[in-house]
Amino acid sequence: MNRPTAELESDREGQTAEATLVRRARAGNTAAFGELVKMHMHRCYYAALGLVGSPQDAEDLSQEAFARASSARRRKLETAGGWLADEARARAAGTDPERARAQAELRDRLEEAIAGLPAPQREAFVLKEFQGLKYREIAELLDVPIGTVMSRLYAARRRLADLLEAPA
């Protein structure tokens, strides 16, 4: 049986809204993550209840699942510079020891500098420089105006330049 067109459109809009929330949550947007929790908590609870049979255990398990998802999202954002370290090590492997040491030192300083950025600047910087997103995409994910993204990136780049130009 065919479903009415209006019902199909509603499903598509729901899927699009959920996909947007997922993208925003992956980028570190706490409010978007909260909305996803609201959308899926009942389903998660009943799935856990079906497995364990105890309402209290099901509630604990469903909350733990979302807490772990939140923690994993935070860790991913905090360690986004890890690929940079791997890339630098791979490139340094074929060079002379002095150059490899200098590159390793620079990599360590860069990772430390990125980790030291305020969270909003770090989020925008990681999404732009490591994930390759466009300003518009970052604005959507972080749910901020594009001008805010631009100012956060400007501030992050200036701060990184200042930190990296300072003597080690």
Side-chain angles (χ1 to χ4, degrees):
M1 173 183 347
N2 289 341
R3 292 172 31 192
T5 304
E7 191 175 327
L8 289 173
E9 289 299 319
S10 173
D11 284 352
R12 286 186 200 127
E13 288 174 14
Q15 289 173 351
T16 301
E18 185 176 2
T20 300
L21 285 172
V22 168
R23 283 193 308 273
R24 288 179 178 164
R26 284 184 176 163
N29 185 310
T30 307
F33 185 77
E35 287 299 315
L36 288 169
V37 170
K38 286 180 191 174
M39 289 172 68
H40 296 286
M41 182 55 95
H42 289 309
R43 181 195 269 157
C44 184
Y45 168 80
Y46 286 114
L49 183 61
L51 292 171
V52 297
S54 162
Q56 183 61 41
D57 289 344
E59 185 175 338
D60 290 346
L61 286 171
S62 56
Q63 289 176 355
E64 176 68 18
F66 287 111
R68 284 186 183 193
S70 176
S71 176
R73 179 176 55 92
R74 226 176 288 117
R75 273 193 316 275
K76 182 178 179 183
L77 191 59
E78 289 169 359
T79 61
W83 76 269
L84 181 64
D86 295 340
E87 180 71 18
R89 278 198 257 335
R91 289 184 182 183
T95 62
D96 66 89
E98 181 61 28
R99 183 170 178 196
R101 186 194 57 72
Q103 286 179 338
E105 189 177 294
L106 178 60
R107 180 193 66 241
D108 292 344
R109 288 183 63 208
L110 181 58
E111 284 182 354
E112 186 177 314
I114 290 170
L117 290 173
Q121 291 176 14
R122 186 175 60 244
E123 290 171 342
F125 184 79
V126 166
L127 291 170
K128 177 68 175 149
E129 302 303 331
F130 296 116
Q131 300 295 323
L133 298 181
K134 294 177 175 29
Y135 291 148
R136 178 181 34 78
E137 294 169 321
I138 297 168
E140 276 182 27
L141 287 172
L142 298 179
D143 198 24
V144 297
I146 198 166
T148 301
V149 170
M150 295 168 76
S151 66
R152 287 178 183 177
L153 285 169
Y154 176 79
R157 289 173 180 144
R158 289 223 20 160
R159 185 170 177 144
L160 288 173
D162 290 345
L163 289 170
L164 294 172
E165 287 176 0

